Amino acid sequence: MNQIDNYIQSFLNGSLGAEGYTVLRQWIKEKPENRYYFQAQVAIWKATGVISNAEEFDVTGAINRFNKKAKQVNRIDFYRCTLRFSVVAIILLICGISSLFFLWQSEGRVSEVVEEYREYVVEVPDGAKSKITFPDGSIVWLNAGSKVKYDSNFAKASRKVELTGEGYFEVSKNKELPFVVSTGKLSVKVLGTKFNLKSYEEDSELKVTLKEGAVKVGDFLIDAAPVELKPNQRFTLRKADLSMQVDSVDASHIDNWRNGAMTFDKVPLEEIAKELKRLYNIPIRIESDKLKQIVYYSDFQENVSVEKVLEILSSGNKFRYEIKSEEIRIFN
């Protein structure tokens, strides 16, 4: 155990002196990782019942017990049936993490004020969709294989969420608190609008399509001018070379996927296969690099079967396919 862990133990059992407090406080301020680590130790201390004996405080063991307890108790899985899909699994992962503020008193004692912090994760598996309403009334529809994360400060100090996958957002207006969706690559900042954001990790492109209102797309952690979109505009980021493009589209249909419809506008078969895999929850293997590059312009109505989709895409002898219970094979 290093010296910082010793200082943390001493703080928790009330024996930390002035010199140690100064060192610990400076270490916490140095970088966010240190602050998060300290907050986690306090949460672990509370959760595992360690109160006063610093010698018996096993940080590694406590972390393991805390993580095990959080997984067993704080994860809620629930399912609902739909016409198209049999299961929607929404996982709410709630972790109680303490935010700590210190007051140094004249007699050299440290007191703490603890604020409860919770993180919510909603995850939708392949073959399903779900609708989420945020505390401010904003709504997101999550497509198959998507995940959204936000915390208990939402609509209080900020309106920030993280998205992996695809979501159609209808954002309530609030000029004081912009709504920010982060993807890991870029962020979308809005005051009140309707837009679709598609950012699956396995996809080659990230796309933002605006239906109503206005949005700004960019990396707001650096000093760079964001791209401002108007209705019926689509922003595309190519992950391979980080090139960006804005083009005009008909955005009236961007949320049709909520009802099971699909629109492919100049989309290669390789990307379509990823979409079908998420939608129908079945792996698709394309056995030819040449087939992967075939580009399609296609529209499919609601609740069409995967067999019908493949029948249409393969028309004109473009490719052959075989559907098995464990996967779909596409070949010449």
Side-chain angles (χ1 to χ4, degrees):
M1 182 180 297
N2 61 34
Q3 188 61 41
I4 290 297
D5 286 326
N6 290 330
Y7 284 145
I8 294 174
Q9 282 188 16
S10 297
F11 170 76
L12 294 175
N13 64 34
S15 63
L16 184 64
E19 181 180 351
Y21 169 74
T22 301
V23 174
L24 179 59
R25 191 166 182 267
Q26 183 61 39
W27 178 80
I28 291 171
K29 286 183 174 182
E30 283 178 358
K31 51 186 178 180
E33 290 85 351
N34 294 350
R35 176 166 53 87
Y36 298 150
Y37 179 82
F38 179 73
Q39 291 172 341
Q41 302 314 303
V42 176
I44 292 167
W45 173 75
K46 292 173 62 180
T48 55
V50 178
I51 297 176
S52 60
N53 193 338
E55 295 298 322
E56 295 178 1
F57 182 47
D58 181 359
V59 173
T60 302
I63 290 173
N64 292 334
R65 291 194 299 275
F66 181 78
N67 288 338
K68 182 178 180 181
K69 179 179 179 182
K71 289 179 181 178
Q72 291 176 346
V73 177
N74 291 330
R75 178 161 294 203
I76 304 171
D77 296 338
F78 63 90
Y79 305 88
R80 65 185 178 96
C81 296
T82 63
L83 292 176
R84 183 75 184 106
F85 307 105
S86 61
V87 177
V88 171
I90 301 179
I91 303 171
L92 295 179
L93 176 60
I94 304 176
C95 297
I97 301 176
S98 300
S99 299
L100 299 158
F101 305 88
F102 305 99
L103 299 174
W104 179 251
Q105 301 175 347
S106 58
E107 64 270 23
R109 296 173 60 189
V110 178
S111 63
E112 58 176 345
V113 178
V114 180
E115 285 187 357
E116 187 178 29
Y117 174 90
R118 291 185 177 182
E119 186 174 87
Y120 303 91
V121 179
V122 181
E123 188 167 1
V124 181
D126 288 347
K129 298 182 179 72
S130 186
K131 174 185 175 182
I132 308 300
T133 301
F134 295 106
D136 68 333
S138 297
I139 299 171
V140 61
W141 284 263
L142 295 177
N143 206 347
S146 299
K147 178 172 68 175
V148 69
K149 180 166 63 175
Y150 64 100
D151 61 41
S152 54
N153 289 323
F154 185 91
K156 298 175 183 177
S158 66
R159 293 197 295 170
K160 296 181 180 179
V161 303
E162 296 178 21
L163 174 72
T164 301
E166 183 171 15
Y168 173 72
F169 290 83
E170 292 187 355
V171 178
S172 300
K173 291 184 179 180
N174 187 333
K175 293 183 179 180
E176 302 299 324
L177 292 178
F179 193 103
V180 180
V181 186
S182 299
T183 67
K185 296 289 183 182
L186 290 173
S187 296
V188 179
K189 181 183 290 187
V190 304
L191 297 177
T193 186
K194 297 180 180 180
F195 68 97
N196 196 79
L197 173 55
K198 188 175 183 181
S199 179
Y200 287 101
E201 293 181 357
E202 65 270 22
D203 286 1
S204 61
E205 296 179 335
L206 178 155
K207 294 184 178 183
V208 182
T209 309
L210 181 61
K211 187 174 184 179
E212 295 180 12
V215 301
K216 294 181 180 180
V217 184
D219 187 344
F220 297 102
L221 297 179
I222 62 175
D223 186 17
V227 177
E228 297 188 21
L229 296 185
K230 298 178 181 179
N232 294 311
Q233 285 189 328
R234 178 177 60 194
F235 170 91
T236 302
L237 171 70
R238 294 183 179 85
K239 297 179 183 179
D241 57 8
L242 298 182
S243 61
M244 296 178 288
Q245 177 183 337
V246 175
D247 57 349
S248 297
V249 296
D250 177 9
S252 62
H253 65 271
I254 62 170
D255 58 330
N256 286 356
W257 59 261
R258 293 185 295 159
N259 301 315
M262 293 180 289
T263 298
F264 299 120
D265 182 13
K266 197 179 179 181
V267 180
L269 183 59
E270 182 177 23
E271 297 299 318
I272 292 176
K274 295 175 184 178
E275 192 85 14
L276 298 180
K277 182 263 181 185
R278 293 188 289 256
L279 183 60
Y280 297 102
N281 193 25
I282 182 170
I284 299 178
R285 177 162 52 95
I286 304 176
E287 298 183 350
S288 164
D289 289 338
K290 187 175 180 181
L291 290 178
K292 294 178 181 179
Q293 304 308 315
I294 299 177
V295 174
Y296 288 88
Y297 298 82
S298 302
D299 289 300
F300 294 94
Q301 299 303 312
E302 301 174 10
N303 302 323
V304 63
S305 67
V306 67
E307 291 85 358
K308 189 63 177 179
V309 173
L310 292 172
E311 177 185 336
I312 294 174
L313 293 178
S314 64
S315 62
N317 296 319
K318 292 185 177 68
F319 61 80
R320 293 182 292 167
Y321 61 90
E322 179 183 31
I323 301 177
K324 295 184 178 180
S325 58
E326 68 276 8
E327 74 166 5
I328 295 174
R329 186 169 69 98
I330 295 178
F331 54 97
N332 288 310

